[in-house]
Amino acid sequence: MLTHGLVSLSDRDILALWPWKTERLVWIEKGVLSRGTLREYLPARSCAREMIRIDRNMFPAALSEEMSGALTASGTMAAAQKMGVPIAMTAGMGGIGDIDGSGESRG
């Protein structure tokens, strides 16, 4: 949702609303499973049109073929398993992105 949705919210808006300063986000950048803060993630968000959606089935290929992308709910679970994280959350609620009614989408 942070990558391909919420187009009506700017990075600045999201930063103002985001309460956590610790590493809470995971994404894949050029085949590397990246973990970081919202500030560290925002440059990837700015490339949303080039980023694919990576699900559990695509996860191994995304790493080995050096893809970049945002994780779907099942992709998040695959990342959690790989990182040894017992509990993970996803904001992946497909189809949400046109909050202001503009009809725009990032992905």
Side-chain angles (χ1 to χ4, degrees):
M1 203 156 118
L2 282 174
T3 305
H4 295 110
L6 299 176
V7 296
S8 61
L9 294 177
S10 69
D11 290 352
R12 191 168 153 174
D13 292 336
I14 294 171
L15 274 170
L17 295 168
W18 191 263
W20 303 285
K21 305 295 181 211
T22 57
E23 294 180 340
R24 300 220 175 210
L25 299 171
V26 178
W27 65 100
I28 296 178
E29 194 164 356
K30 297 179 183 170
V32 176
L33 184 56
S34 302
R35 177 180 169 183
T37 65
L38 180 60
R39 280 197 187 279
E40 293 167 328
Y41 175 73
L42 289 177
R45 183 178 189 257
S46 70
C47 300
R49 294 201 186 278
E50 293 85 42
M51 293 180 79
I52 60 173
R53 291 176 174 94
I54 300 170
D55 64 16
R56 174 178 282 284
N57 295 329
M58 181 185 276
F59 187 81
L63 297 176
S64 66
E65 296 175 24
E66 299 182 0
M67 297 177 188
S68 294
L71 299 169
T72 65
S74 68
T76 299
M77 297 308 114
Q81 183 178 29
K82 182 169 180 61
M83 297 172 80
V85 174
I87 299 173
M89 288 183 56
T90 180
M93 297 176 67
I96 296 178
D98 180 21
I99 292 173
D100 69 356
S102 68
E104 293 182 34
S105 175
R106 282 185 171 271

